[in-house]
Amino acid sequence: MNAVSEQVNGLLAVKTTIAAAELDAKRPQGSVTLVAVSKTHDADTIRPTLEAGQRVYGENRVQEAENKWPALRADYPDLELHLLGPLQSNKAREAVALFDVIESVDRPKIAQALAEEMQRQGRCPSCLVQINTGLEPQKAGIPPQDADTFITACKDLGLPITGLMCIPPADENPAPHFALLREIARRNGLEVLSMGMSGDYQTAIALGATHVRVGTAIFGSRPALASAE
Ligand SMILES: *Cc1c(COP(=O)(O)O)cnc(C)c1O
């Protein structure tokens, strides 16, 4: 098997697993969107998955995404790009210009900067609020107990908040974290639930994920440093 087809095999395997998890959860086929996490992988590695029909991708860093996605988008104008990593307010302009979904709205300063940029550019990527369900000090996100207030503040700024995102603690059963995210979304009337990664996306689908973010299971492992976050 050559290197080029490996990520396509990975993609097809993940799609098959998603379909089975949808069936198990008695959810409609196609109700879960696969966000293929392409951070650290170059355009030549990504391209075969685009040729295989994948259209939704996630990246962690604005700069890295700016370097590879404009050229790919020229060939695939219908693709959808998600920002997954923490955003600095001095990158809000680039983020609003490039991404279709910003999954990592995690503090008032960023909410404010995004709202101003959307106003200025007239471009409105939909936004998810990242919740730090495990209250981990090293992890971004709003503490669960502050979620309702923060979501309301974002809506008051005019941000198009459509849902929530979380990254459960690596060493814990993710299920209670996914259930908590679903409950916060429910009581705030939000539909999008971005939860589940390579190791736990089936669990996330059972608990209502609308989007799963899968990198390693498609593209293989990343250099150790870049896989953090
Ligand atoms: C890297 C990353 C992923 C993908 O993780 P895998 O374990 O490789 O599937 C998903 N979500 C976020 C926020 C990430 O940073």
Side-chain angles (χ1 to χ4, degrees):
M1 189 190 309
N2 67 30
V4 170
S5 63
E6 267 172 32
Q7 60 276 45
V8 173
N9 288 337
L11 174 69
L12 297 179
V14 169
K15 288 176 77 79
T16 303
T17 305
I18 289 173
E22 287 170 338
L23 199 63
D24 282 349
K26 300 188 168 53
R27 298 182 51 187
Q29 290 294 294
S31 54
V32 177
T33 299
L34 171 59
V35 181
V37 181
S38 50
K39 63 188 182 196
T40 78
H41 299 289
D42 62 17
D44 288 343
T45 304
I46 297 168
R47 210 172 264 282
T49 63
L50 281 159
E51 284 161 9
Q54 176 64 21
R55 286 295 179 274
V56 185
Y57 291 85
E59 289 281 344
N60 256 30
R61 293 168 196 278
V62 176
Q63 183 84 57
E64 181 188 341
E66 274 187 319
N67 290 340
K68 58 191 182 192
W69 283 99
L72 292 167
R73 187 169 256 160
D75 293 339
Y76 297 93
D78 58 335
L79 68 81
E80 184 180 297
L81 200 54
H82 293 224
L83 177 63
L84 310 178
L87 181 59
Q88 303 302 317
S89 47
N90 64 4
K91 290 271 197 253
R93 172 175 303 193
E94 288 90 340
V96 166
L98 181 64
F99 290 95
D100 304 294
V101 181
I102 295 174
E103 298 205 13
S104 47
V105 180
D106 63 357
R107 56 196 193 279
K109 193 177 173 199
I110 278 300
Q112 180 73 43
L114 288 171
E116 282 169 17
E117 270 309 317
M118 289 185 196
Q119 188 81 26
R120 216 179 57 82
Q121 297 184 29
R123 187 172 194 281
C124 287
S126 49
C127 292
L128 309 185
V129 171
Q130 182 173 351
I131 306 292
N132 189 353
T133 58
L135 290 170
E136 295 175 282
Q138 82 285 10
K139 211 166 259 177
I142 299 289
Q145 67 270 23
D146 299 340
D148 298 4
T149 308
F150 183 73
I151 292 163
T152 303
C154 287
K155 288 178 176 169
D156 288 348
L157 283 170
L159 275 192
I161 302 286
T162 56
L164 305 177
M165 183 269 262
C166 76
I167 311 170
D171 54 354
E172 283 182 30
N173 173 8
H177 296 273
F178 296 153
L180 174 60
L181 198 73
R182 180 176 60 182
E183 170 54 23
I184 297 170
R186 189 201 56 76
R187 68 175 186 244
N188 285 280
L190 298 172
E191 284 181 3
V192 174
L193 280 175
S194 174
M195 54 191 202
M197 319 199 328
S198 290
D200 55 18
Y201 65 97
Q202 291 152 282
T203 305
I205 290 169
L207 289 165
T210 62
H211 291 67
V212 293
R213 311 177 309 268
V214 180
T216 311
I218 298 172
F219 294 106
S221 57
R222 294 178 292 269
L225 252 182
S227 71
E229 283 169 290

